[in-house]
Amino acid sequence: AIRNFGKGDAVAYSLAVDPSGKIVVGGYSSNGRDLDFGLLRLRKDGLADLSFGENGQVITGFSDDDNRGADEHGYSVLLQPDGKILLSGYSEVNNKAVFVTLRYNSSGSLDTTFGVSGTVVTQIGVSDRAYTSALQPDGKILVGGTSIINGVGRFAMVRYLPNGILDPDFGEGGLLTTAVGGNPDAIYGLLVQSDGRIVAGGSSAHGADMNFSLVRYLADGTMDKNFAKRGISTQQFEGKYNAVYALSLTSDGKILAAGVSSPGTDYNVAIARYQTDGKVDKNFGTDGNYRQVARAARRTPITAEIGLPPLLFRSLLGNPE
């Protein structure tokens, strides 16, 4: 399913499927001047859900003022059990950004019971960019990313109550930052365990290189000292740039982290599995790590036209990439 969105480039970063099988896609799109938050909802067959927004699309932009920038970047979409939709990301002007989370009703209209008219804007440091989010069983909302404090990018996380107010029982007034490595550090994936502990995955600086990094927190945001080395696990694959982008739990409680590793040229798929105490699981891949060189990936030949127009099909055959 390919959809035109807005008046220029459109980028999707996250999706969720509701109980009826409808697909909600979150990201951002251009209005011809700057970028706006964007949501798209598709039916199970991939066609636009015309009961959502305008022709299946919702675009939300802010005016350019001190708190809300000209460019909006949506990175993470979540579905609540009541059918409401959360979209988190950041709003930026003059290279300074703030965390933004919006909540929509199932129809696509902004939920005015959340934050201010459906929107929550949070500033942590000089500039803050949110890349991921997670929903707790109690309805509290976690949003993670990076925050520049004293010129250094740190792991940054906020937690909101279900109504969009910062949770005073988390971190310092709902805000949390962690210096993991050097500069910059950033969270790209979040995971809430069944015991309420929170795992944040991303990248952290190690000299000129970037590490594949995990940090685990207790439910109140304090560091879990029983995880890896005083709450932090960092490692490198063969590359100079390593980052965790997605997290998942196995049935026995082990943590899977997926992301990238790059020696400075190509990007490679990187996956690691961790024991419940944060130590790398040596029984997975090579010493707990799996690295797939993208260039060596096997290509599957197209063996049928699968309903494609003949001209397009021949074009695909002539260009396997």
Side-chain angles (χ1 to χ4, degrees):
I2 300 175
R3 299 286 300 174
N4 291 326
F5 205 107
K7 297 180 180 179
D9 291 338
V11 182
Y13 277 105
S14 182
L15 65 81
V17 181
D18 71 16
S20 70
K22 292 181 179 179
I23 304 162
V24 180
V25 183
Y28 57 85
S29 67
S30 172
N31 59 29
R33 301 180 306 278
D34 50 42
L35 304 176
D36 295 324
F37 292 109
L39 280 177
L40 170 68
R41 191 163 74 190
L42 305 174
R43 305 182 327 195
K44 289 189 290 185
D45 59 7
L47 297 179
D49 178 9
L50 301 183
S51 68
F52 182 76
E54 183 176 347
N55 296 322
Q57 301 176 3
V58 172
I59 297 174
T60 305
F62 293 147
S63 59
D64 184 3
D65 58 37
D66 290 339
N67 296 316
R68 296 177 173 181
D71 282 327
E72 280 75 58
H73 302 257
Y75 273 97
S76 183
V77 65
L78 297 171
L79 288 180
Q80 296 186 172
D82 60 3
K84 293 182 179 181
I85 302 164
L86 292 160
L87 178 63
S88 297
Y90 62 89
S91 183
E92 181 178 35
V93 62
N94 296 329
N95 294 319
K96 293 184 178 181
V98 289
F99 277 25
V100 178
T101 296
L102 307 101
R103 189 163 73 188
Y104 300 84
N105 297 309
S106 59
S107 64
S109 61
L110 281 168
D111 176 12
T112 57
T113 67
F114 182 77
V116 178
S117 301
T119 305
V120 172
V121 178
T122 302
Q123 185 168 10
I124 305 168
V126 174
S127 187
D128 316 303
R129 290 172 172 82
Y131 298 114
T132 184
S133 61
L135 189 64
Q136 297 187 175
D138 59 4
K140 293 180 180 180
I141 304 154
L142 290 163
V143 179
T146 186
S147 178
I148 297 177
I149 298 174
N150 297 325
V152 178
R154 300 182 179 181
F155 268 36
M157 197 184 334
V158 300
R159 189 166 73 189
Y160 303 108
L161 300 174
N163 59 4
I165 296 174
L166 284 167
D167 181 1
D169 296 326
F170 181 78
E172 296 183 10
L175 311 177
L176 175 67
T177 62
T178 305
V180 180
N183 182 35
D185 296 344
I187 297 172
Y188 298 117
L190 283 174
L191 173 69
V192 181
Q193 297 184 178
S194 58
D195 59 5
R197 297 182 188 188
I198 302 159
V199 181
S203 63
S204 62
H206 179 72
D209 299 337
M210 299 297 294
N211 282 339
F212 204 77
S213 303
L214 294 184
V215 179
R216 190 165 72 185
Y217 304 89
L218 302 178
D220 63 359
T222 57
M223 196 89 76
D224 181 2
K225 302 296 185 180
N226 295 319
F227 182 80
K229 295 180 179 179
R230 299 183 61 80
I232 298 174
S233 173
T234 61
Q235 64 172 321
Q236 289 190 335
F237 288 79
E238 297 177 2
K240 294 180 177 296
Y241 178 79
N242 304 273
V244 176
Y245 283 110
L247 295 167
S248 184
L249 284 177
T250 63
S251 58
D252 57 356
K254 294 179 180 179
I255 300 167
L256 279 169
V260 297
S261 177
S262 171
T265 52
D266 297 337
Y267 281 88
N268 304 314
V269 175
I271 305 172
R273 189 169 73 187
Y274 302 82
Q275 303 280 5
T276 55
D277 60 1
K279 295 178 181 178
V280 174
D281 183 358
K282 300 292 186 180
N283 294 320
F284 179 81
T286 304
D287 291 331
N289 304 323
Y290 173 78
R291 175 180 174 274
Q292 171 66 54
V293 180
R295 183 171 290 175
R298 179 178 298 174
R299 297 186 178 93
T300 301
I302 299 173
T303 56
E305 289 194 16
I306 57 174
L308 291 172
L311 182 61
L312 176 58
F313 177 67
R314 288 195 295 273
S315 175
L316 289 173
L317 287 179
N319 184 9
E321 293 289 353

